[in-house]
Amino acid sequence: MIDGSQDAVRERSLLDDCVHCGFCLPACPTYVSWGEEMDSPRGRIDLMRGLAEGKIEWSENVAAHFDRCLGCMGCMPACPSGVKYDVLIEGTRAELERRFDRPLAEQFHRGMIFALFPYPGRLRAAAAFLWLYTESGVRALVRRSGLLRLLPRRLAQMDALLPDVSLHNVAARLPERVPAKGERRARVALLAGCVQQVFFPGVNEATLRVLSAEGCEVLVPRGQGCCGALSIHAGREQEALAFARDTIALFEEDPIDAILVNAAGCGSNMKDYGRLFANDPKWAARAAAFSSRVRDVSEFLAALPPVAPRRPIRARVAYHDSCHLAHAQRIRAEPRQLLIGIPGLEFLEIPDGDQCCGSAGIYNLVQPESSEEIGARKADNVLTVKPDLLASANPGCTLQIQKILRQRGMKLRAAHPVEILDASISGRPLPE
């Protein structure tokens, strides 16, 4: 960002778009929490400008302000000047990782996260261990004993976020091809995801059933890994680009109408491949072609006139706007359209729904205190509408909100919108 390259010049011009009007302040969860200027979008842009102009240097304090940003992009719809904060924070975090030496404990913690989460095979092994840990009663014993209070906050947070798992999480596999029911109306491919395919296999299975019922042939390319979303949002640029290249190469093998995603963070990253590879002569055209075909599953289904009959679902459903769906992809109406179209369903808007839940990729694992404060506000707002079910289009959001409620001794069923749609079309019960 500050090395005089073409990208640095471009980013300095993007910094100049900010006129310090302050419209971003109430949209920023960390500013709402603390009221600190340097923990607001325009304050962080000031820091970026200082770094770019050589007026300040990287330090632990400067890095902390960037680390405390969720990357929720809530500031972008609020900005009248069209500041590309997503590009700025992403580039700054990549520069942070190149120029700033984190403490060894921090390096180890982040290294552990990225040695596990982007790899579905490793996650399955972890899921098998978690199943044994839970079924043996050790997990309950550890929690009752108070041992978790002796652990560093970040490690205790990992335990708190762990979902319930069954052997299905370990054994679940998706077919390579699902035919369309009736006349074929489209041929699409599905990104299975990392966390999604292991800890939320029901979401992928529901997605396949719904698409098939709506006349879509679905391909699920074998050998899928991470799309790079977690890495790019954490500043691990080269790692993210390597994941992206593998994803592009895998999905361009078959002629398809669209590449569908049912995890919001993955979708926003994959739609951005064209920009990420714009200066790479070998990959620019391939990345742009790939990104042009990426659609969130709700975005795709909302544009496809429904043919599958819907059965009534009698439930009060609160819809949580995932940040990378609502802010990064600007997809708001489509999931609402799908849910409101289900007979008998009472759709509920959550107060201050634009505010992040505190999950934000790996944010709740590396900034647990801030994540907890932001998540508590979201949970409070969810509870005000007294829902029977929480709908969320991102696995991290579901884990975060359910964790907050569980800590309060409460339980609220949660489902992806496509799972609710599947229950209406197929007659299957809603997830417990």
Side-chain angles (χ1 to χ4, degrees), residues 19 26 37 64 79 127 152 156 204 256 260 271 287 290 300 319 328 351 387 409 413 419 426:
V19 298
E37 179 69 16
C79 179
N204 284 338
I256 49 178
L260 302 187
K271 287 181 177 181
F290 178 95
F300 180 81
Y319 176 68
R413 289 191 301 168
E419 291 182 290
S426 69

Side-chain angles (χ1 to χ4, degrees), residues 29-178:
T30 52
Y31 184 82
V32 171
S33 288
W34 311 313
E36 292 287 343
E37 179 69 16
M38 290 300 103
D39 288 314
S40 74
R42 71 178 184 184
R44 292 181 179 112
I45 288 174
D46 268 345
L47 290 176
M48 295 174 196
R49 185 178 289 110
L51 291 166
E53 295 173 353
K55 294 179 179 178
I56 61 174
E57 297 182 354
W58 285 104
S59 68
E60 187 172 352
N61 185 48
V62 170
H65 291 299
F66 295 129
D67 282 343
R68 287 198 286 262
C69 173
L70 294 107
C72 70
M73 309 311 162
C75 54
M76 293 180 64
C79 179
S81 301
V83 174
K84 295 185 181 301
Y85 184 79
D86 55 345
V87 178
L88 291 171
I89 190 65
E90 186 179 290
T92 300
R93 282 180 163 162
E95 194 71 11
L96 187 161
E97 294 304 313
R98 286 191 290 267
R99 292 181 177 266
F100 179 68
D101 291 328
R102 296 183 181 278
L104 287 177
E106 175 80 5
Q107 291 181 39
F108 176 79
H109 183 67
R110 287 175 177 258
M112 180 176 62
I113 290 171
F114 284 99
L116 176 62
F117 284 91
Y119 301 96
R122 299 175 192 179
L123 283 176
R124 283 198 181 89
F129 172 80
L130 178 56
W131 178 79
L132 288 171
Y133 176 56
T134 303
E135 290 299 310
S136 66
V138 174
R139 183 182 186 184
L141 179 62
V142 167
R143 288 182 169 181
R144 284 197 305 269
S145 70
L147 286 174
L148 293 175
R149 290 195 294 270
L150 303 178
L151 294 176
R153 180 71 182 272
R154 291 175 177 179
L155 293 179
Q157 178 81 335
M158 284 183 134
D159 179 86
L161 283 165
L162 289 173
D164 293 330
V165 299
S166 68
L167 289 178
H168 181 60
N169 296 90
V170 181
R173 299 291 188 277
L174 297 175
E176 291 188 55
R177 174 184 172 274
V178 176

Side-chain angles (χ1 to χ4, degrees), residues 243-254 283 286 290:
F243 285 138
R245 291 186 193 98
D246 290 342
T247 303
I248 293 168
L250 190 65
F251 277 81
E252 65 186 1
E253 294 179 3
D254 295 300
W283 286 92
R286 295 169 70 180
F290 178 95

